[in-house]
């Protein structure tokens, strides 16, 4: 009997961004009788524990800070040529390549832009086949132009195959042909229904007592909560995702001020933290909430390990990115949870949300448009229910690991298997 194909999965970070959760969900579902995953991460972090809990062989090879701390949206042309960083990347990749050899890896899969470069060098050192799994749109608005252009160029010859998380992401690579690339959407585990706040917020059928929702930190003047019970249950509008300018939480805050004019009881929840150090953006959001007098209805819940139960309690899920979102896992999670979605029209989002059917698409950074769409849903519970139902159906048919992992598996089998056969012949 054939031994499982050994795949080395590479990511520079162990923080729980969407790409890393995507990797985790894939590995949780991967058929271990056919594939043996070996994950190499550039740092320690919460992903390590989750992978270990899933029984995935995981190893940390620490990246030096010159490489690890370089933020992709702050790189310039000069950073591509910094000799020190280039030398450190080469040395690091050599070390990782040796580790891959010792683990007798058959295939390399890279999951972040930094990992793409490192994995590219490893493939060059080892002769192993390489799959780039691209989660970011390679456009000037999202990355500095020279960096985007360089990676687009590398896409043509470095990886053996490219997986993109949406058609929009794939288009941004501007590949001359499509024969070595495919769109594989993000997959959410369909069973994802964790219990985060069930102990903290009374379930809808319980009596009208008040409960405290955890708030990420202590900001004086911000109301720390209070969800009344079902008797006059206020509508809850939420946004989920890391706090960073391009995710557009500030647009929702401005829109909330308009929505409150029409639906004064509405509660707004901002779920997520400034994961990659955008603390000044978070401080600005909280200041703006105070300036707009929204302290009594805007809740900052911080990072939640499991967003499932919070999603359950929302009436409307908002996605507010002001740049084209490459995919947007949070949207599919909301849809899978049966929630109507108000999302910004850009990037991969129109591939997920059917405008007027599973939710409303609004222009990016358009406060009034967003407020209008939220109000349309708040005033019409039947529409919310109908769109939620359509969303759940669409998400369960296209955006769960049941659909996506088998697609990845057949790719791994094809490329990893071909490599094995080549090695056997040699
Ligand atoms: N997420 C989470 N806890 C939070 C906020 C977000 O677990 O407090 C998860 C969210 O459920 C989703 C992922 O982080 O799975 C974000 O992925 P998405 O593709 O929406 O955006 P990204 O941050 O990758 O750009
Ligand atoms: C990236 C993108 C996000 C996508 C996620 C998973 O972090 O910003 O849009 O959903 O990767 O592919």
């Amino acid at each position: 009997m054939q031994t499982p194909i050994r795949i080395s999965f590479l990511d520079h970070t162990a923080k729980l961004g969407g790409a890393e959760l995507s990797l985790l969900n894939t590995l949780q579902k991967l058929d271990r009788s056919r594939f043996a995953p070996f994950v190499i991460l550039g740092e320690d972090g919460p992903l390590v524990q989750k992978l270990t809990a899933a029984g995935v062989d995981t190893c940390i090879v620490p990246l030096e800070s010159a490489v690890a701390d370089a933020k992709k949206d702050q790189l310039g042309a000069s950073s591509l040529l910094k000799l020190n960083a280039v030398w450190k990347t080469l040395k690091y990749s050599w070390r990782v390549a040796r580790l891959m050899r010792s683990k007798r890896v058959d295939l390399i899969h890279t999951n972040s832009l930094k990992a793409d470069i490192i994995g590219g060098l490893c493939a060059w050192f080892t002769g192993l086949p390489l799959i780039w799994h691209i989660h970011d749109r390679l456009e000037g608005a999202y990355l500095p132009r020279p960096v985007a252009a360089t990676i687009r160029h590398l896409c043509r010859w470095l990886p053996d195959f490219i997986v993109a998380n949406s058609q929009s992401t794939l288009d941004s690579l501007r590949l001359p042909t499509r024969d070595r690339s495919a769109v594989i959407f993000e997959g959410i585990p369909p069973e994802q229904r964790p219990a985060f706040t069930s102990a903290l917020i009374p379930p809808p059928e319980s009596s009208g007592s008040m409960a405290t929702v955890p708030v990420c930190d202590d900001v004086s003047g911000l109301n720390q909560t209070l969800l009344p019970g079902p008797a006059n249950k206020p509508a809850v509008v939420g946004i989920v995702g890391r706090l960073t300018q391009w995710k557009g939480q500030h647009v929702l805050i401005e829109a909330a001020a308009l929505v409150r004019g029409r639906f004064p009881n509405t509660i707004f929840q901002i779920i997520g933290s400034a994961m990659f150090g955008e603390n000044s953006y978070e401080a600005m959001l909280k200041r703006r909430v105070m300036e707009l007098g929204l302290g009594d209805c805007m809740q900052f819940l911080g990072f939640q390990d499991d967003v499932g139960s919070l999603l359950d309690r929302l009436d409307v899920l908002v996605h507010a990115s002001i740049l084209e979102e490459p995919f947007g896992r949070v949207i599919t999670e909301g849809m899978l949870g049966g929630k109507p979605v108000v999302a910004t029209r850009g990037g991969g989002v129109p591939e997920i949300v059917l405008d007027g059917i599973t939710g409303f698409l609004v222009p990016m950074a358009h406060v009034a448009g967003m407020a209008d769409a939220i109000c349309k849903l708040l005033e019409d519970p039947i529409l919310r229910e109908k769109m939620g139902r359509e969303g759940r159906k669409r998400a369960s048919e296209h955006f769960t690991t049941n659909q996506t992992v088998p697609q990845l598996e057949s790719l791994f089998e094809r490329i990893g298997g071909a490599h094995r056969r080549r090695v056997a012949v040699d």
Side-chain angles (χ1 to χ4, degrees), residues 17-19 21 240-242 246-247 271-272 302-305 307 325 328-330 333:
L21 289 167
V240 183
R242 57 200 158 92
W246 75 269
K247 289 287 184 182
I271 299 156
F303 183 85
Q304 299 299 329
D305 203 31
V307 295
E325 179 77 52
R329 284 169 57 90
V330 293
E333 287 164 348

Side-chain angles (χ1 to χ4, degrees), residues 222-241:
L222 276 186
N223 186 317
Q224 308 262 316
T225 58
L226 305 183
L227 289 186
N232 57 348
K233 184 178 167 285
V236 186
V237 174
I239 185 166
V240 183

Side-chain angles (χ1 to χ4, degrees), residues 84-138:
N84 189 31
V86 171
W87 172 240
K88 282 183 171 155
T89 307
L90 275 170
K91 249 181 28 189
Y92 180 85
S93 306
W94 179 252
R95 204 174 145 201
V96 172
R98 276 182 33 210
L99 181 60
M100 288 174 176
R101 266 208 207 95
S102 74
K103 288 276 185 177
R104 310 193 58 219
V105 162
D106 300 303
L107 169 65
I108 306 172
H109 171 283
T110 58
N111 201 53
S112 65
L113 293 181
K114 282 179 195 167
D116 292 344
I117 305 297
I118 293 160
L121 288 165
C122 291
W124 192 40
F125 295 144
T126 57
L128 287 170
L130 170 68
I131 297 176
W132 273 12
H133 198 143
I134 307 248
H135 296 274
D136 301 305
R137 295 184 77 256
L138 295 186

